[in-house]
Amino acid sequence: MRPRGSGAQAPADNVNSKKPRQPPKKRVRVADVDGDDPQSVELVKSVAKKARWQPKAGKLAAIMDLPLDVLFEIFGHLNPLDLLRLARTTKQFRRVLMHRSSISVWKTARENVLNMPDCPVYWTEPYYANLAFDPHCHECSAPGVRNVDWRIGKRICAKCSKRCMVDAYPGESPVNSLVPSKYGKRGRLLFYRNNIEEVQEKLRTLTDSHQIEAYREERRAFVKEMDTTAKALEVWAASQAKDRSDQLEDARRDRKTAIIERLTELGWGDEIEQILYHDDLGHHRLVKQPTRLTHRIWNNIKYDMIKYMEEMRTRRLERERKALLVTRKRIAIGILRSYKIAHLPLTDVMPEPVDFCNFPEVVEIVVLPTETEVTEASFADVASKMDDLVQNWRTRIHSQLRSKIKDHLNLIARRRAWEQRELPDPYYEGYVESLGADVKGKKKEVLPPLPDDAELDQSIPLATTVFRCRTCTSSIGLPGDFSDSDFDDFLGDIGGRRSKSIPLFYPKVMGHFCLTRSRTLPWDYPTTDEPNFRIDFPMGTRTKWDSHSLQVDEDAGKAARAVVEACGEDPLTTTAMKMDELDPRFACIHCVKWSKHEVNKADAPVFTWRQAVQHRMRDHRHDRRSANLLKLEGELLEESEREARKFTDIIHQMFNIQTFISDPRGTVWLCTHCMDLPQEKECYDLGKIKSHLLTIHSVGDPVENQDYYKDFEVPQGRRQDSKFSHHTVTLEMERPPNVSPPGLSFLGFDDDEDDDEEAGFYYDDDDDDDDDDDGDEEDDFYFANPLFPFY
C-alpha cells in the first residue's frame, strides 16, 4: 500500500517538472551470463522478478487507514444492502463490519430505508439485511429469488422448497406448535425441515419434564412473536414493492416524455398525437425502460425511434385511406338501396352490398385517389346503368348455377357408367395369351354427351329441378356439417332432431339466405367497419353470392315429379313458377287416419305442392311404394280451406293476441329502412315488423313495399315449420282389409292406439263409449299440432 505522502506528492511532481523520456533498459540475456557463476544467475533472477508487472493501487486503497469514527460516518450513509456487499468485498471490511461494535452502523443504514421495521430480537442486523434485500436462495445461492418467507425467516427458491419444506404432520403433532410455519398451496401448512429436526433433537436431549415444558413454552412464545413480526414485515414488504413499482413507472413516464420532446424537435409532434393506443410509444421496448434518457442513450436509439415513427405514419395513412373507402362504399350502397326500393316488390334476385361494391364500375370510383372528392354525384353514371349492371350480375350467378347442374349430371353419368361397366373375362384373357398374343390397352370409358347451355337453361326452371342447401340443413345444426340424411332418419325414429331439408326451386333459390351469408361462431365473428360486410346481429357476415353450399337433390326431384304428375301436369315442361300460380292442395293417402265411427271415412293431412315434396322426403324417404297424392278440388278443396280458417280462428280466440304465436310460414317480412345496412335483421312476421317500424323507425302507419316488403325467397322462406300440415280433410274411401273396422280392437287391447289400426287380427268389442271418443278427438287437436308445446 502506498504511503499517504507519496499519493499526494505525485501530482505536484508531474505538474512542476517533467523528466526526459528514458529509453527502456535492456534485459540481460541468459546466454551472456556464465552458467557456472552463481552470482550471475542470482542477478538475472532478481532483475526478472523486478521487471514483472504489478497492478496499480486504486484511489480508495487507503480508506482502511482512516479512523473508525470516520469510516462509521461514511458507512452510515449507505443502505443495508450496500453494507452487506461491502462486507463481502475484502477480509478487512468483513472484519470491521461483522464485529459487534459495528451494530450502530447497521442500525443507521437501516434507518435510511423508509418505514423499515426494527430488527427482531432473534435475528442479527446482517441477517436481517440479507433476508430483506439480498435476492439469493439461502440454500443453493440461486439468484433472482424475490419472495421472502417472513414467517420462517428464509428466502428459498422453488427448487429447494420441494426438498427443504415439509407438510404438516397428520393430527396434533407435538412439534407443530413449536416450529414456525407458512401456508403453501391449497392452504397446507409447511415447515422448514432444519427447524423441525433441530426441535426434535433438542427434545430428545431433555430428560426432565420441567425442562421440556419450559422449552415448549419458550418455543411457543418464539413462534407467536415471529408470526406477529412477520405480519408487520409483510405489510412493509408490500408497501416497498408498491413504492418500487411507482418509482419504475415514474421513470418510464419521464423517459417517454423526454423521448416525445426529442421527437417533437425533429418534427414528429403531430404524428405522435394521432398514434392509436395499441401503438402507443409507451409500449415500445426502447421507451418503456425505467432508465433516465441521456444524450448518449438518445443517440443510440434515435434512428430506431425515427423508423418507428415512419411506420406509424404509414399505418395512419392506411387507416385514413380505409376510412375514406368505407365512406365511399356507404355512398355506393345508398345507390343500391335506392334502386332496390324503387323495384319493390322484388320479382328477381338483387345483388347484396358485397357484390355491388365489387362491380368494376363501382370499384373504379371507390378507389379513386385520396385527393379526389367522391360524392353521390360521382355515381351518377353507375345509377343510370343499374339495369344493365344488375342484369350482367344475374347472368354471372346464373352461370354458376348452370355449372352446378352440369357437375351433377357429369357425376350421375360416371356413376351409371361404373354400374354398367363390363367386367373382364379372365378365361378369355388366358386364351388370348395362350395364342401368343398380348391383351393390350384398356377400354376407354365413354360418357354420354352432356346437354348444352341452352338445354340446361330450359331444365333449371322446371319444378323437377330441386336444390338443397348444405349449410342450413346440417344434421346437428352446425355450419359446415354436410352429413348424409340417413342419420337424420335414425334420429327421427328415436324422437331426436331430424333434418330440416327445404326443397329449393328456381328462381327463388337464387335469393336463398345462405348464399350471401357466412355463418360463424361467436369467437370467430369478424369485427369490421366495412358496411358491405358488417351485420350487427351475431353469427353471420355478408359475403359475395356463391353457390358452393347448393347441391342438386336428386331424390327430391323424383318426389317433385310425383307431385307434378298428381297435379295432372307434364314434368318435362312444368316450371316451379307455374306450380306456384296453380297453388294446388294435396292429400297424402299413405298418411290417412281412419275414422273410429264410420267405416269408409278417413282424415288425410293437406299439403301445398312444396310441402308435399318435403313431406315425401321426410316421412316417406325409404317407402318403396309410389307416391299416392290426391289433388283436392271442388268440395274437398273448400273443406280444406274451412279447416285452415277454423284452425287460425281457434288460435286467435284462445290467446286473444295475434302475434303471440308466430307462424313460420308468415315470417316473410323485411324492413325497408334497414335494407342492406349493418342493423338489418332476419325476417319478421307481420306483427313484429310493424312493432319494429314503430319502435325503431317511429313509423306508426307503415305501408307495404314502402316501409316493409316481402322477402324474395318466399314461398320457400328462410324458416320452415316443424310440421307441414296443421289441418286435414275428410275423405270417403274404401277401408282396406288390414285396418280394423270401428268398434274392433287388436288382441284385446283398447282401440285408442293408432298402431292397432294397422294390424290384421281383431275381435268384436261391444264396449263403445262415444263420449270418450269425442273427448279423444278434441285432445287430438292439441296433441297433433306443434304450436302447443305445453301438452
Side-chain angles (χ1 to χ4, degrees):
M1 185 177 297
R2 289 184 308 174
R4 297 182 185 178
S6 62
Q9 187 67 25
D13 295 341
N14 293 335
V15 173
N16 297 331
S17 62
K18 293 186 178 180
K19 296 181 180 180
R21 186 174 181 179
Q22 299 291 336
K25 296 182 179 180
K26 294 184 179 180
R27 296 178 59 184
V28 180
R29 291 182 297 177
V30 179
D32 298 339
V33 182
D34 188 3
D36 296 337
D37 188 1
Q39 295 182 355
S40 301
V41 174
E42 289 296 332
L43 178 62
V44 171
K45 289 183 178 181
S46 62
V47 172
K49 186 179 297 185
K50 290 181 181 179
R52 186 178 302 171
W53 177 86
Q54 293 183 356
K56 196 173 183 180
K59 295 181 179 180
L60 298 178
I63 191 172
M64 293 305 298
D65 296 339
L66 296 176
L68 284 181
D69 54 347
V70 177
L71 285 177
F72 286 176
E73 181 66 25
I74 296 174
F75 295 160
H77 294 277
L78 303 178
N79 289 327
L81 183 60
D82 299 331
L83 278 183
L84 195 64
R85 291 172 176 172
L86 190 61
R88 295 170 179 172
T89 306
T90 63
K91 293 181 180 180
Q92 291 179 331
F93 279 125
R94 182 176 181 81
R95 189 181 307 113
V96 172
L97 292 176
M98 291 302 177
H99 197 271
R100 290 184 179 274
S101 60
S102 303
I103 188 172
S104 60
V105 178
W106 291 95
K107 289 182 178 181
T108 306
R110 175 166 47 80
E111 292 174 355
N112 295 333
V113 181
L114 184 64
N115 298 328
M116 186 174 183
D118 295 337
C119 178
V121 295
Y122 44 82
W123 289 340
T124 62
E125 288 286 351
Y127 183 88
Y128 186 33
N130 180 56
L131 178 64
F133 300 105
D134 192 5
H136 286 78
C137 176
H138 290 185
E139 296 293 327
C140 63
S141 300
V145 182
R146 298 296 178 183
N147 296 328
V148 181
D149 297 327
W150 297 105
R151 295 182 180 274
I152 62 175
K154 297 289 182 181
R155 269 186 197 259
I156 302 178
C157 63
K159 183 178 180 181
C160 295
S161 180
K162 300 177 182 178
R163 174 176 52 86
C164 299
M165 305 303 297
V166 295
D167 294 346
Y169 291 100
E172 287 292 335
S173 174
V175 184
N176 288 353
S177 60
L178 308 181
V179 180
S181 62
K182 71 167 186 173
Y183 288 102
K185 294 181 179 179
R186 301 182 182 90
R188 298 181 304 171
L189 280 179
L190 298 178
F191 299 91
Y192 188 53
R193 184 186 298 273
N194 293 344
N195 291 343
I196 292 180
E197 294 176 354
E198 179 182 350
V199 171
Q200 288 177 342
E201 182 65 24
K202 182 66 176 180
L203 289 175
R204 281 194 294 267
T205 58
L206 298 176
T207 57
D208 189 4
S209 59
H210 296 288
Q211 294 179 351
I212 294 176
E213 187 61 29
Y215 179 71
R216 288 180 180 276
E217 290 296 331
E218 180 184 353
R219 292 296 302 181
R220 291 191 189 98
F222 168 71
V223 171
K224 183 178 180 180
E225 182 182 2
M226 197 166 186
D227 288 342
T228 304
T229 306
K231 293 179 181 179
L233 290 173
E234 287 174 353
V235 173
W236 170 79
S239 65
Q240 285 292 108
K242 185 179 181 304
D243 294 342
R244 177 59 178 168
S245 178
D246 294 341
Q247 292 175 4
L248 295 178
E249 188 63 27
D250 293 341
R252 295 188 183 97
R253 189 183 302 109
D254 295 341
R255 182 183 177 97
K256 176 183 174 181
T257 304
I259 291 178
I260 291 177
E261 292 177 355
R262 299 294 182 96
L263 290 174
T264 303
E265 294 175 359
L266 297 177
W268 294 99
D270 296 338
E271 198 67 42
I272 294 175
E273 295 178 356
Q274 302 184 52
I275 296 179
L276 299 181
Y277 173 76
H278 58 270
D279 293 330
D280 188 72
L281 280 173
H283 302 156
H284 196 278
R285 61 178 183 85
L286 297 177
V287 180
K288 62 182 180 181
Q289 298 177 6
T291 307
R292 187 175 62 88
L293 185 70
T294 61
H295 184 71
R296 180 183 59 82
I297 294 177
W298 169 246
N299 290 333
N300 292 335
I301 68 173
K302 176 179 178 180
Y303 295 103
D304 292 336
M305 297 309 303
I306 293 177
K307 182 178 179 181
Y308 180 77
M309 292 306 302
E310 292 175 350
E311 181 182 354
M312 291 299 101
R313 179 173 57 188
T314 303
R315 292 186 183 182
R316 177 184 60 81
L317 295 176
E318 291 177 355
R319 290 196 306 270
E320 293 177 353
R321 177 65 177 175
K322 184 178 178 180
L324 180 63
L325 296 182
V326 167
T327 304
R328 293 176 177 178
K329 287 180 181 180
R330 287 197 180 99
I331 301 175
I333 293 174
I335 302 296
L336 175 64
R337 294 182 72 248
S338 301
Y339 177 80
K340 294 169 74 170
I341 293 174
H343 286 76
L344 292 177
L346 299 178
T347 58
D348 204 345
V349 62
M350 288 288 187
E352 290 285 325
V354 181
D355 296 285
F356 182 71
C357 290
N358 281 278
F359 286 178
E361 295 79 3
V362 178
V363 173
E364 183 180 357
I365 299 176
V366 170
V367 299
L368 286 174
T370 305
E371 298 77 13
T372 305
E373 183 180 2
V374 175
T375 61
E376 188 173 351
S378 305
F379 292 92
D381 190 25
V382 174
S384 62
K385 299 178 181 178
M386 281 298 292
D387 292 335
D388 296 336
L389 295 177
V390 172
Q391 187 58 39
N392 294 337
W393 173 78
R394 289 170 181 163
T395 303
R396 291 195 296 270
I397 64 173
H398 185 80
S399 63
Q400 291 189 34
L401 198 65
R402 187 191 308 121
S403 301
K404 183 72 65 173
I405 295 180
K406 188 177 296 184
D407 294 341
H408 176 72
L409 295 177
N410 191 17
L411 179 63
I412 293 177
R414 289 182 178 275
R415 185 192 307 163
R416 290 177 179 174
W418 175 259
E419 294 174 352
Q420 299 175 2
R421 72 188 187 281
E422 295 182 1
L423 298 177
D425 188 356
Y427 298 102
Y428 173 76
E429 294 180 357
Y431 171 72
V432 173
E433 292 179 357
S434 65
L435 297 178
D438 296 333
V439 182
K440 297 182 179 180
K442 182 180 180 181
K443 189 175 181 180
K444 187 177 181 180
E445 182 181 9
V446 180
L447 299 177
L450 296 176
D452 56 11
D453 292 347
E455 295 176 347
L456 289 176
D457 291 341
Q458 293 178 0
S459 64
I460 289 176
L462 296 179
T464 55
T465 304
V466 188
F467 299 90
R468 182 179 65 180
C469 177
R470 298 184 296 178
T471 301
C472 62
T473 60
S474 55
S475 300
I476 59 176
L478 290 178
D481 181 14
F482 305 145
S483 56
D484 194 67
S485 57
D486 293 339
F487 183 67
D488 303 324
D489 297 326
F490 168 73
L491 290 177
D493 295 336
I494 63 175
R497 182 172 181 176
R498 303 178 66 179
S499 174
K500 295 185 178 180
S501 179
I502 305 173
L504 304 176
F505 301 88
Y506 186 87
K508 302 297 183 179
V509 67
M510 307 297 287
H512 184 56
F513 181 74
C514 299
L515 304 184
T516 56
R517 295 294 187 274
S518 174
R519 298 179 183 270
T520 56
L521 296 173
W523 49 85
D524 294 331
Y525 181 72
T527 56
T528 176
D529 293 330
E530 289 281 350
N532 50 333
F533 290 103
R534 181 178 171 186
I535 302 178
D536 287 343
F537 70 88
M539 300 292 286
T541 53
R542 290 190 178 97
T543 60
K544 295 180 63 176
W545 194 98
D546 191 2
S547 62
H548 174 72
S549 60
L550 287 181
Q551 63 180 144
V552 180
D553 196 337
E554 188 175 356
D555 295 334
K558 296 177 182 178
R561 184 184 185 91
V563 173
V564 173
E565 291 176 348
C567 189
E569 300 293 333
D570 184 8
L572 299 179
T573 58
T574 304
T575 62
M577 295 184 65
K578 183 177 181 180
M579 292 295 293
D580 289 334
E581 294 174 359
L582 296 175
D583 195 19
R585 296 294 186 271
F586 299 93
C588 182
I589 305 302
H590 293 321
C591 299
V592 296
K593 182 178 181 181
W594 292 98
S595 175
K596 300 179 181 179
H597 308 290
E598 299 185 24
V599 178
N600 295 327
K601 284 191 176 182
D603 293 335
V606 179
F607 305 96
T608 64
W609 79 273
R610 292 174 181 269
Q611 292 175 347
V613 175
Q614 192 170 358
H615 168 71
R616 182 68 184 172
M617 290 299 298
R618 293 189 61 182
D619 296 336
H620 303 287
R621 186 179 185 87
H622 299 292
D623 196 344
R624 296 184 179 181
R625 298 174 295 177
S626 59
N628 192 357
L629 298 172
L630 175 63
K631 181 182 179 183
L632 301 182
E633 297 177 335
E635 295 182 359
L636 292 178
L637 182 59
E638 293 177 359
E639 180 185 353
S640 172
E641 293 176 352
R642 285 196 303 270
E643 289 292 332
R645 289 193 296 269
K646 178 182 177 182
F647 175 79
T648 305
D649 294 340
I650 291 176
I651 295 298
H652 295 168
Q653 291 175 6
M654 288 184 60
F655 298 99
N656 199 23
I657 300 177
Q658 184 175 358
T659 59
F660 184 83
I661 294 182
S662 178
D663 187 358
R665 292 171 297 177
T667 311
V668 298
W669 301 101
L670 293 170
C671 177
T672 304
H673 303 277
C674 298
M675 178 193 294
D676 295 338
L677 296 179
Q679 59 267 25
E680 183 180 13
K681 302 294 190 299
E682 291 188 346
C683 292
Y684 294 102
D685 58 21
L686 187 58
K688 289 184 178 180
I689 191 64
K690 291 184 178 180
S691 176
H692 166 80
L693 289 169
L694 179 61
T695 305
I696 304 300
H697 305 291
S698 301
V699 179
D701 189 13
V703 179
E704 184 178 352
N705 295 327
Q706 179 178 339
D707 298 303
Y708 63 96
Y709 65 99
K710 186 174 289 187
D711 184 20
F712 171 71
E713 197 177 355
V714 175
Q716 293 173 171
R718 303 187 184 185
R719 300 179 182 175
Q720 287 287 317
D721 48 352
S722 58
K723 190 168 183 177
F724 311 114
S725 179
H726 298 301
H727 58 279
T728 59
V729 64
T730 302
L731 303 177
E732 292 186 3
M733 53 190 303
E734 183 178 357
R735 185 184 291 257
N738 63 328
V739 180
S740 60
L744 300 179
S745 58
F746 172 63
L747 296 180
F749 294 97
D750 294 336
D751 195 23
D752 295 336
E753 299 293 336
D754 295 337
D755 294 339
D756 300 343
E757 299 175 357
E758 303 295 335
F761 298 95
Y762 52 87
Y763 74 99
D764 191 4
D765 186 3
D766 295 333
D767 297 333
D768 188 7
D769 191 353
D770 296 339
D771 296 337
D772 293 341
D773 293 338
D774 294 339
D776 292 341
E777 290 183 358
E778 293 179 0
D779 292 341
D780 289 342
F781 173 79
Y782 300 104
F783 282 101
N785 287 281
L787 298 179
F788 298 92
F790 40 81
Y791 281 99

